[in-house]
Amino acid sequence: VLLEPNESEGYQYYMGKPEIKRIRMSVGKEPAIAVSAFIKRVKDGKPALLFDVKPDLFEVLRDVPANSQSYLPYNFYAIVYNTRRVPFNNPIFRKAVNSATNKTELTKSFIGAAEAKSINTSIFPASSMYVQEAPDNFWEGNPYDTPKAKAYLSQSGGGKKTFHLLVSSAKEGERIKEFVNSYKQTMESVGISVIVDDLSAPHYNQKIREHDFDAVFMSFSGFDHLYDIRGLFRVDGERNIWGVSDNQLIALLREFGSTIALDRLNVLARAIHYRVEEITPACFLFTAPRRAYYSNKLTNVTVHPEVGFSTVEKWKF
């Protein structure tokens, strides 16, 4: 387990620069083995801790007589558009693709349930504190609407209506294949052709690093609880994979990184959301559900619903 520091400027000004602490833990190679080992240790009255278990094992763990808490960390999936390359350099075409995307069906195909809380509306995922505080303020700029998608497509001009979608079934598992089939069908229904490039994990990661894609299905994680996303839009940064260079957005992100007051952060988060929806650099799909479980033999630990394990200072068996 790696406990990473909150590196936002506002947090460091208020709290001081935190330390990075590493805690090494050993868990079974297979999730099913890890779960059975967890249950055995709890039943034997021994300490136990388990992270990131598969959704189909949640029900088993709910029957375990142990203190446990579940949370949704800041980890979400999106289809990212390369706004520097045809056809996604055309903002109207980007809106057409978003309007043709049935997020509910795609969520079903990928995580097995169309839970409303898992559907994203923007760069801030469904589990972020800003969306949780006022979900109505985080509207979707181009929701699923087939007639509107066709209208946008006709307005986008006579250019290319085909794009390559980069995925990695080796990285995401067999569920990606069902997801891709569902996605291709919805695009074809409005007249957009999708060619899927299913690559090995190393080749997939290389393509992303080199910005060599039309669109890519990928996950985002590793943010603090304030959800400081400045690094994703740095003009000179590798992580600016969508190729966005927008002065209005950069100004908002700069203020966000130097702000402490929560009420002002909420206002800035909404403004950032609105601007990202206008630019449409991606189609934000769903927040991937994950869980953390721990035994009542593990003391001084509480999995915070917003910040996960980052509040832990001292803990012991």
Side-chain angles (χ1 to χ4, degrees):
V1 181
L2 175 61
L3 303 184
E4 296 186 1
N6 184 326
E7 295 182 343
S8 66
E9 293 171 10
Y11 185 91
Q12 291 190 29
Y13 175 82
Y14 183 67
M15 299 294 291
K17 187 169 178 61
E19 297 177 3
I20 297 178
K21 299 180 179 180
R22 293 176 186 269
I23 301 171
R24 183 176 294 279
M25 303 190 125
S26 178
V27 180
K29 291 182 180 179
E30 296 296 326
I33 296 173
V35 170
S36 62
F38 175 87
I39 293 172
K40 185 177 187 306
R41 291 186 68 84
V42 170
K43 287 182 176 178
D44 291 344
K46 297 177 182 178
L49 182 66
L50 185 64
F51 297 84
D52 293 350
V53 288
K54 289 185 176 180
D56 56 356
L57 299 172
F58 292 164
E59 292 298 329
V60 177
L61 283 165
R62 288 197 184 101
D63 296 331
V64 177
N67 291 347
S68 65
Q69 188 169 343
S70 62
Y71 70 103
L72 289 174
Y74 305 103
N75 178 33
F76 66 93
Y77 282 85
I79 293 178
V80 175
Y81 309 140
N82 188 345
T83 63
R84 292 166 292 196
R85 178 185 286 188
V86 175
F88 288 105
N89 61 343
N90 183 338
I92 304 300
F93 182 81
R94 299 199 296 265
K95 293 179 188 297
V97 174
N98 273 23
S99 297
T101 303
N102 188 334
K103 295 183 180 182
T104 301
E105 290 304 311
L106 291 176
T107 303
K108 278 182 183 178
S109 67
F110 196 78
I111 61 176
E115 298 177 81
K117 65 182 180 182
S118 295
I119 305 295
N120 289 341
T121 56
S122 183
I123 194 76
F124 296 100
S127 57
S128 72
M129 63 182 178
Y130 309 110
V131 177
Q132 292 286 319
E133 176 102 359
D136 292 342
N137 290 323
F138 291 81
W139 45 262
E140 188 174 350
N142 299 285
Y144 178 54
D145 187 330
T146 299
K148 184 170 283 189
K150 291 178 178 177
Y152 277 136
L153 200 60
S154 65
Q155 294 167 23
S156 66
K160 185 178 174 185
K161 301 294 189 293
T162 300
F163 66 90
H164 286 252
L165 175 65
L166 178 63
V167 302
S168 177
S169 58
K171 188 171 184 176
E172 297 294 350
E174 287 297 308
R175 56 188 176 166
I176 191 67
K177 294 181 179 178
E178 184 180 348
F179 172 92
V180 164
N181 288 335
S182 177
Y183 185 73
K184 281 173 61 72
Q185 288 174 12
T186 58
M187 289 301 117
E188 288 169 359
S189 69
V190 300
I192 299 172
S193 177
V194 179
I195 301 167
V196 178
D197 297 327
D198 188 353
L199 305 180
S200 66
H203 198 188
Y204 167 88
N205 292 330
Q206 180 184 354
K207 288 277 190 181
I208 292 174
R209 282 195 305 272
E210 296 175 353
H211 300 235
D212 184 14
F213 60 85
D214 296 338
V216 57
F217 174 74
M218 65 182 298
S219 64
F220 292 82
S221 60
F223 299 98
D224 61 26
H225 71 291
L226 294 177
Y227 216 76
D228 188 349
I229 60 174
R230 287 174 298 163
L232 293 177
F233 292 97
R234 279 185 55 181
V235 176
D236 60 342
E238 264 189 31
R239 297 185 72 190
N240 188 350
I241 56 176
W242 16 58
V244 169
S245 178
D246 182 79
N247 291 335
Q248 183 178 337
L249 180 60
I250 295 300
L252 289 169
L253 290 168
R254 187 176 294 122
E255 184 181 355
F256 185 95
S258 59
T259 298
I260 299 171
L262 185 58
D263 56 347
R264 181 58 184 164
L265 283 171
N266 285 331
V267 171
L268 289 169
R270 289 197 295 272
I272 290 167
H273 163 82
Y274 297 156
R275 188 57 185 162
V276 169
E277 285 294 326
E278 288 173 354
I279 298 168
T280 321
C283 185
F284 301 96
L285 298 169
F286 50 81
T287 301
R290 288 185 171 184
R291 299 289 189 270
Y293 289 90
Y294 57 91
S295 162
N296 54 14
K297 301 294 182 183
L298 185 66
T299 59
N300 296 336
V301 173
T302 300
V303 184
H304 191 281
E306 285 287 351
V307 299
F309 279 89
S310 67
T311 56
V312 176
E313 294 181 358
K314 294 180 180 178
W315 57 318
K316 63 183 179 179
F317 288 128

